Amino acid sequence: MESAFVGTISFTVHSKQPQGFQEYLQNLRPQWTQADDFLHVFWEQAFECSFPNPQELIQDVKTCLGEEKLESLPRTVFDMHMTGHSYSIYNAVYALARALHSMHSSRAKHRAMVSRKGVHLDHLQPWQLHPYLQENSFNNSVGEQVSFNSKGEIDSGFDITNMLLFPNNSFVQLQVGRVYPRAVDGKQFIIHEDMFEWQRNFNQVLPVSVCTESCKLGFQRRKQEGRKFCCFDCDPCPEGKISNQTNMAECLQCPDDYYSNKSRDRCIPKVITFLSYQEPLGIGLLSVALSFSLVTALVLGTFLKYKDAPIVKANNRDLTYTLLTSLLLCFLCSLIFLGPPGLVNCLIRQAAFGTIFSLAVSCVLAKTVTVVMAFMDTKPGSNTRKWMGRRLSALVVLTSTLIQAGICALWLGTFPPFPNMNMHSVPGQIIAECNEGSVIMFYCVLGYLGLLSIVSFVVAFLARKLPDSFNEAKFITFSMLMFCSVWISFVPTYLSSKGKYMVAVEIFSILASSAGLLGCIFSPKCYIILLRPELNSKECLVRRKK
């Protein structure tokens, strides 16, 4: 029958073995305590003997010698180890002694009870010790901390024991775990499965204490509403979190510079990314920017070489030189957006882009206004005629450019851009980027540039049918139409992009709009200068005007 209890798992009151306790029991003799009748009675019942009684002449049972050994008794009769109940009494005596000591040491609270002879314990009521017991916390001789909760209870927990049976029918309760009621979630039960001794007839899988399977790595437990606490669902960890143990109550957050792998069981360092000169996208944009810069420089050189040609002189060649120079700078300023972001290039790249592009568009606007004013019916000596020519062009260019430069200066003086490490936009990447500082100022720069473009387009569209030399107003209309189309499509594309692709979108918009101005305005003139020189004459110019 005893074998049926082999492998039994039970919860017992927590206990520890004080040092010297077993030696004390081994040396215990009943004659030490003549006044303790309990020990004599226990000794007689345990060893089935009786101590000599002078009043009885004849004794039917064997005589107790007092030299019997307690360790010789079966464990079912007497356990040499301190049980949980004995350990609780042991701690209670310690706690009571310390509470009395605290009461004796406190003079301010118990001045009425303290006299020259000390504390009168005869008048002490049990309830007077309650405050000292609740505040009492100490380490006993075993080294364990003993403390009371708000209810006056000791939160010592329970021991998980496993019964082992030996061939001589003796048994032992082996501690295989512990219950910690004050531990955090998931740590209340500590069980050492390798120490279990199961029933010999038990050949099935180990029993489980939950109604669902264990959550694997990469999953976290979620309690099922309306069911027992042992019933739960397994939810995958969200992005950026992991679980590297089974049955985790909550996934762990990866550090900011790490991200979770696909199985959500390990954190991996993030990769720092930016639009580099070495990657294919950066190489392509760099090649296009340098190619257009070279083409612009050749066009500028051609116009400088043929500066006295009628087609160059007819449309304000100083304004043409300024426009070509600004387009060359537009192509080159796109290179500032490539490479790792630093303090200097973050400060100047948007300001340079906005100012140079405003210069280019204002040159186009000045050329268009010049065409319109040239064909207005003006009288000699009127104020309108005085403002025609170079002074009008210079005024339009300077005013338009200085307004944009003022906006950029205000931006840099209040909320300037700065380099930033964006760790959350793209999973698995740390984006090295330029934080624009003030998004409002960034869109103010774009808005003013768009305003100049729209004004230039409207004026050029209205002047497209004027008998302009070589029909330049019509070419400006096409160029501004392309320019506006590029930057209108830029805004939604820029906002929907992330990381280095945002930078690539802005570079592409700079190159496309600059190439549109260069191609639509100057390709017809280069065609005439280089391939049709017979049309580049004063006679053809006058005939086309007529």
Side-chain angles (χ1 to χ4, degrees), residues 15-81:
S15 66
K16 279 280 189 178
Q17 303 303 315
Q19 186 176 3
F21 178 69
Q22 288 193 352
E23 288 78 1
Y24 170 76
L25 293 179
Q26 292 172 355
N27 297 326
L28 183 63
R29 297 294 180 266
Q31 56 268 26
W32 292 359
T33 55
Q34 296 295 334
D36 191 354
D37 293 336
F38 170 78
L39 186 57
H40 284 78
V41 174
F42 166 76
W43 205 273
E44 290 178 343
Q45 293 182 358
F47 292 101
E48 297 180 351
C49 64
S50 63
F51 288 98
N53 189 348
Q55 298 179 359
E56 295 182 3
L57 299 178
I58 299 176
Q59 294 183 352
D60 297 333
V61 295
K62 66 178 181 179
T63 302
C64 294
L65 302 176
E67 297 297 329
E68 292 82 3
K69 301 291 186 180
L70 290 176
E71 62 265 27
S72 64
L73 294 173
R75 193 161 187 172
T76 54
V77 178
F78 183 78
D79 194 348
M80 292 289 291
H81 294 81

Side-chain angles (χ1 to χ4, degrees), residues 9 11 19 44 94 113 158 199 297 299 317 360 417 428 503:
I9 301 174
F11 293 90
Q19 186 176 3
E44 290 178 343
Y94 261 91
M113 298 179 58
F158 296 91
Q199 174 65 247
V299 173
R317 57 185 175 186
V503 182

